[in-house]
Each structure stands twice: as structure tokens, then as C-alpha cells.
Amino acid sequence: MVAVTTNVGRNGTEPGAANILKLGRAFRYGILGLVGVFFIIPILASARFSFLGNNNTITISAYTQLFSTQQFWSTLFLSVKIGLGTVLLTLALLIPTVIWIHLRIPKLKRVFESISLLPLVIPSVVVTLGVTTSFKGLPNIIMGTPVILALEYVILALPYSYRTFDSAVQAIDLKTLVDAGQSLGAGWSKLLRFVVLPNLRSGLLGAAILAFAFCLGEFAVASLLSFTTFPVFLVQVGQVAASQAVALSLIALLFTWMPLAVIIIIFGQRNASSKKRAVSLATTIAQEETTGIA
Amino acid sequence: MASSTNVGESAQGRIGGVDSPNPALVRPRRGRRSWHSGIGTIPFLVYLGLFLVVPAISVVVTAFQNGAGTFTVSNFIEAVHGVYLKSFINSIQLSFAAGVVATVVGVLAALAVCASSNRIVKALVSSGSAVFANTGGVPLAFSFIATVGNFGVITKLLTDAGFNPYDHGFSLYSVLGLTIVYQYFLIPLMVLIMIPPIEALRKEWVDASSSLGATRAQFWRWVGIPLLAPPILAAFIVLFTDAFAAYATAEALTSGTIALVPIQRGALISGNVLAGQTNLGEALGAGMIAIVLVAGFLYAYVQRKASKWLR
């Protein structure tokens, strides 16, 4: 903070409204550049490391060996299955709850937001131990299969998924939309399908992707409950073949980053103008609906 | 993060007040009785209770029992001795150091982003932060091993240039190394958390101060820093807990060679249990919950202060 202040003072030439916050150009790009370098170097280094053969030759053998390992595909498939299950459960839980809260008990919005942060308070390692002790009695089909992972991942990804979806609902004028729809005679299923959910597409997709990415990367719970998911496989490989493990890490990182980046870029741009559009769109849809009914 | 929501909420409240002067119009039509209005949240709360609260409580309860199920505090006594005490100290030191570094760098980066008028830079940094903040775990550990590990690319480059960092006290597989690796997800998280409060600062208070004739130094001294201090502190607590609970990265990087609480806990779950330590894992777990709870209460307190400012 001190550094910023002095910097601002030194470069503070033009007084005026928007300029109070302006920092020196060199300072701005210096900071961002340094941070950027810190984030890019490990990726480049990993790439180089994974292509490095014996005696400094370049080789793709780490990748070909990986792709021919049967376990690579089976663990990846398992993690994707768990991810999809988690996403479905998350959405089934979040959509009705968050919409209900915003419509009926908006005063409790912040309370529920804090509740959604609870999984951050209880570290996943602790939850895992609790699960093993308190769910001993559950039928084997839940405890003995990765179903338990999906069930717990819904909880552990909640801080991210809830927040994303909640802020999407916050961004649209849900009450007006619902009131408009209802006064035009739409029932709840119509409201959800044609008015509310279409307006929340970015939030839904964001929550889904965050939950999915979480599942693809989660290691602690899976390894402690002895399920060989993709990240657990990654560690096993890392103990025997370093360059394969790094290659696999790069793949895993890309798996997490690509969908996230796509979401953020596409929906980030749309969000800018969506607020106004959402209302007009909803009224249009509601109009179409009612004319259809009439 | 929450402080920005606060701004948004109060702003919306105002707009709502203007738009619909008659609150009766926006009341839900069905059922106005209070118990009625909570029904829709029951499935959510039940799910949370079943898969989060029950396991957590069972950990705390078991922590106070010995192998035969009778009440005892001996688990806790053991948990604050020897390697376990060391692991608590290591964990707290690591999380604190990692949190402080990430807070300083993150705030500077967030300020730089917010001050930038270049839209591309802004979009790039905020989307990049969202992506990197979700990085972590095992892949992150391995990519750092490939970079500055024993045989990492950068280590090799430096060694060729005549400076082997491992001969000068540096090790990736140490608390220092972990502090560096944790920056990879902590800094973006900090940037993400701080951008909204800084943007809020820009909109509402900057105009007011400058129209009253404040200089930049005056603005920061009397407005900017007092306003940003609570969100920064709150964000620091978030980072601290995030680093405190991180298990996968530490486990993959150090293979358990540094005593950290989550790793000791993991070892106890995985069955590396000595006789007489039956519920020691639970005691460590309860200790972790306690530390994070303290952080959580601090967070809530700071947030309340912050929202008072931003109201």
C-alpha cells in the first residue's frame, strides 16, 4: 500500500476526477509484467521438461507412453463421470434454492451466502475422516463406489458454484421478471423454462464448469478414500516417471483451464449488456407466451 | 468479495425503492407466514447437514473419545506435542507467510489492473485470475518441480550460469518452496477478491473526493486506504485459510517430509496409525476446524466493519 501511495504521489501530475486512481504507467506494466512472468514460466518450463529426452533431445515419448496406458483413459473416464454427476446434483440443488431465496427470503441472502462458504471452514481432509467414521453404516453401493465422491464434491465445490450462480441471479432483476411473467399468466414451469433459466445461462454454465473443474482436479478426498481418480493416477505416475507426470500435469492443467477460459471470455462479454436485455427479452418472451395461450 | 456484494445490494435496494414505491406489490402472493417462506431451502439445508455438518460433528465428537468410546482429552494433549505441535506451527507459519506475500502482490496487481484503461489488459487479467485461482493440487506441484525442482528447467539454466540455487539454501521441497508454489493460486484469488472493492472505490468515492478538491495523496490517506483496509484484511483471512487447508499440493511436492497439519491428518486417515493413537486424527481435525473457525470469526468481524464503511 505504501508503495502505491508514494508512486501515485510521484506521478501525480494531472488533478481531476478519474485521475485520482491512475497509477504510473511504468509501475502498472511493471507489476503486471512481473506477475505475468511468474505465471507463464512454470507452464513453459513444464512443456520443455515434458519434451526433454535423454541427452537433451526432443521427444514426445512421454505423451505417447501416457496415451497408450490403459489406466490413463480409465481414470480420466472415472473423473469425468464423477464430474458430470456432481454437476447435475449441484444444479438440482442450487437452482431451486437460490431462486427461492431471492424471491421469498431476500433478507437471508447473505446468511445463505455464508452457509455456502462453510465447506471452506471445514477442510476437505477433515470432512473425509468424518465421512469414513459417520457413514460406515451406509450401503456399499454408496460408500464403496465413487458415488460418495460425487456426493461430497457437491459440498466441497459449493463455495464456488453457489457464489457464481448467486451473483448471476443477483445480476438480473428476478422479481420483476417473475412478476411480469406471472401477471401475463405464465405458470412456474413456463416461467423457469422460458424466462428465468434462459436469463441465468451464464451463471448456470459458470457454476457447472467450476464444479466440473473441481472434480477433475480434486486429490485429497479421492486418495484418502482410496479411489484412483485422474489426479490420484497423476501422483502414482509421478512417483515412477517424472517426465510423464509433468506431461500429464500439463494435460490436466489444460483440462481445467480451457473450459474455464472459454466460459469467462464468452460470457464475460455478454454479461456487460445482458442486464437491460434480460428484462426486455423476458417481457418479449412472456408476451409471446401469452399471445400463444390466448 | 462480500463487501462488493454489499455495495451492489445497497445500490439495488435504492433502485428497487425508487422503482416500486409500494412494497406490497412485490410481496410474494402465496403464504406470508414466516415458517412457510423457508420451505424451499430445506432440501439444500438437509443435504448440507448430511454431507458436511454430520461428518464434521462426528470428527469433533470422536476427538473427545478414546478407542473404547469414553470421554477423554488425551487426544488433544497428544495433538499439541511433538511432531503434531510442529505441524501446527509449520502450517500456521506457511499459511501466514504465503498469505502476506499474496496479499501484497495481489493488491498491487489489482490496483494496476483497475487503473489500467486498456480493456484487453483488464479482460486478460481478470479472466486469467479466475482460471489460475482454480489451479492447484497435484498438477501445480509437478509443474513447479519441472521448473525449479532438483532437475527443473530453471534450476538447470541457473546451474549452467554458475549459480545452483540448491547450493545456496533454496529448496522447492521446503516451507519456502511451498510458499512460492502457493502464490500460483493465492495471487489470482487475491486479485479476484480485490477488484470489486477497488472498482467500487473508483465509482463512488473518487468522484466525491476529487470534486471536494482532494489530491491523490489526500485521497489515499483519508479515503482509499481506510476503505480498502477491511476488504484487504478479509481477503487475507480467506487466503490464510485456503493455504492452511491445502493438502494435495503439499503432499505431492514434499511427499510428507515437512510436517503440516493436513498431511499428518492424511497420514492418520490412510492408516499409518500407531497403537494408542486411535482418535488422534480426529483431534488434529478438530484443531484444524478450530483454527479456521477463529479465522472465520475474524473474517465476519472485519466484514461487518467493512460493510459499515460501505453503507
Side-chain angles (χ1 to χ4, degrees):
Chain A
M1 285 314 296
V2 180
V4 181
T5 329
T6 48
N7 204 303
V8 169
R10 211 179 298 138
N11 295 309
T13 40
E14 336 123 78
N19 286 329
I20 280 189
L21 269 183
K22 258 202 178 134
L23 302 169
R25 206 169 226 279
F27 170 81
R28 260 177 10 219
Y29 288 109
I31 282 280
L32 293 181
L34 277 179
V35 174
V37 164
F38 175 74
F39 280 90
I40 288 168
I41 280 185
I43 303 171
L44 294 181
S46 305
R48 171 148 177 74
F49 192 91
S50 68
F51 286 116
L52 208 59
N54 295 331
N55 308 321
N56 278 346
T57 49
I58 300 241
T59 169
I60 55 162
S61 70
Y63 289 89
T64 50
Q65 276 171 18
L66 261 184
F67 291 144
S68 59
T69 317
Q70 198 261 326
Q71 235 197 334
F72 170 82
W73 298 105
S74 65
T75 54
L76 180 61
F77 188 54
L78 175 65
S79 280
V80 168
K81 265 199 298 191
I82 295 173
L84 290 179
T86 307
V87 166
L88 286 181
L89 262 173
T90 303
L91 293 185
L93 213 54
L94 280 190
I95 294 171
T97 310
V98 174
I99 289 179
W100 181 283
I101 291 167
H102 277 258
L103 282 181
R104 290 295 182 84
I105 36 176
K107 275 185 186 164
L108 296 183
K109 257 186 271 181
R110 298 206 63 194
V111 174
F112 275 89
E113 201 187 309
S114 329
I115 291 178
S116 79
L117 294 178
L118 265 183
L120 292 182
V121 180
I122 304 165
S124 57
V125 187
V126 178
V127 176
T128 314
L129 185 72
V131 166
T132 52
T133 51
S134 54
F135 293 160
K136 263 181 220 144
L138 277 188
N140 224 23
I141 193 151
I142 295 178
M143 270 310 282
T145 65
V147 171
I148 186 68
L149 282 186
L151 289 172
E152 281 303 331
Y153 285 174
V154 172
I155 294 282
L156 296 177
L158 200 62
Y160 317 104
S161 52
Y162 188 95
R163 198 168 262 285
T164 311
F165 187 61
D166 187 62
S167 58
V169 177
Q170 182 86 40
I172 65 168
D173 198 344
L174 187 64
K175 227 160 208 173
T176 311
L177 288 182
V178 170
D179 282 350
Q182 277 181 337
S183 67
L184 291 169
W188 267 107
S189 60
K190 276 220 169 72
L191 263 178
L192 276 183
R193 222 181 114 201
F194 293 107
V195 181
V196 177
L197 292 186
N199 276 307
L200 294 173
R201 250 176 321 188
S202 65
L204 287 173
L205 211 59
I209 291 228
L210 282 178
F212 190 73
F214 179 88
C215 296
L216 272 192
E218 208 285 333
F219 169 76
V221 178
S223 89
L224 292 173
L225 291 179
S226 325
F227 292 109
T228 312
T229 56
F230 193 63
V232 178
F233 170 64
L234 183 56
V235 174
Q236 289 172 356
V237 172
Q239 281 156 358
V240 283
S243 59
Q244 276 189 39
V246 173
L248 198 51
S249 301
L250 268 185
I251 297 173
L253 289 180
L254 286 181
F255 270 154
T256 342
W257 290 341
M258 292 284 275
L260 280 174
V262 169
I263 288 302
I264 291 162
I265 291 166
I266 295 176
F267 288 90
Q269 282 171 349
R270 291 174 43 131
N271 264 357
S273 61
S274 68
K275 207 168 168 179
K276 263 187 214 156
R277 254 194 2 209
V279 180
S280 64
L281 188 76
T283 23
T284 328
I285 292 173
Q287 269 171 356
E288 278 174 15
E289 278 288 302
T290 35
T291 36
I293 296 165
Chain B
M1 246 187 292
S3 59
S4 69
T5 341
N6 216 2
V7 175
E9 260 168 35
S10 59
Q12 265 207 346
R14 255 174 269 142
I15 295 164
V18 174
D19 281 352
S20 46
N22 183 0
L25 281 180
V26 286
R27 280 261 165 80
R29 280 163 193 78
R30 276 172 283 167
R32 284 178 56 194
R33 270 170 298 172
S34 55
W35 62 269
H36 226 162
S37 56
I39 285 179
T41 61
I42 286 177
F44 176 77
L45 293 177
V46 167
Y47 191 96
L48 214 65
L50 199 58
F51 290 105
L52 183 70
V53 179
V54 167
I57 289 178
S58 88
V59 166
V60 176
V61 170
T62 323
F64 285 103
Q65 291 172 348
N66 62 16
T70 43
F71 177 85
T72 174
V73 289
S74 65
N75 297 319
F76 285 95
I77 293 171
E78 189 162 352
V80 293
H81 282 92
V83 67
Y84 301 109
L85 176 66
K86 183 78 187 138
S87 69
F88 269 104
I89 294 174
N90 278 347
S91 274
I92 291 175
Q93 272 177 346
L94 167 64
S95 317
F96 193 83
V100 168
V101 175
T103 302
V104 172
V105 179
V107 167
L108 290 182
L111 278 171
V113 176
C114 290
S116 168
S117 50
N118 189 338
R119 276 172 163 253
I120 299 171
V121 169
K122 268 189 177 174
L124 207 67
V125 174
S126 55
S127 50
S129 306
V131 170
F132 284 116
N134 288 291
T135 311
V138 187
L140 179 64
F142 280 137
S143 64
F144 265 89
I145 290 176
T147 312
V148 285
N150 270 331
F151 305 103
V153 173
I154 299 290
T155 316
K156 242 183 210 163
L157 280 179
L158 286 175
T159 314
D160 290 346
F163 179 86
N164 184 349
Y166 282 79
D167 292 341
H168 293 81
F170 173 83
S171 167
L172 180 65
Y173 318 100
S174 65
V175 172
L176 173 67
L178 281 177
T179 309
I180 295 173
V181 175
Y182 281 11
Q183 299 309 312
Y184 210 80
F185 53 90
L186 290 182
I187 291 176
L189 188 59
M190 189 68 192
V191 172
L192 275 186
I193 298 178
M194 286 313 294
I195 284 179
I198 293 176
E199 295 262 303
L201 197 67
R202 158 174 292 215
K203 265 186 234 129
E204 312 210 349
W205 283 277
V206 176
D207 292 348
S209 330
S210 51
S211 69
L212 289 170
T215 64
R216 280 174 206 193
Q218 279 174 324
F219 170 77
W220 282 110
R221 169 68 186 82
W222 300 108
V223 184
I225 291 175
L227 275 171
L228 284 184
I232 288 175
L233 198 56
F236 167 75
I237 295 168
V238 171
L239 299 193
F240 178 88
T241 49
D242 211 31
F244 188 78
Y247 167 79
T249 313
E251 169 73 23
L253 201 57
T254 66
S255 320
T257 47
I258 306 174
L260 293 171
V261 187
I263 288 181
Q264 296 296 332
R265 289 273 300 99
L268 285 168
I269 297 179
S270 318
N272 306 342
V273 192
L274 301 173
Q277 290 187 327
T278 334
N279 293 333
L280 179 59
E282 277 82 355
L284 288 184
M288 275 180 91
I289 295 181
I291 287 180
V292 183
L293 268 184
V294 169
F297 280 126
L298 275 176
Y299 176 80
Y301 176 75
V302 172
Q303 277 298 334
R304 193 128 31 94
K305 282 264 146 126
S307 56
K308 211 180 277 172
W309 272 107
L310 292 169
R311 200 160 283 154

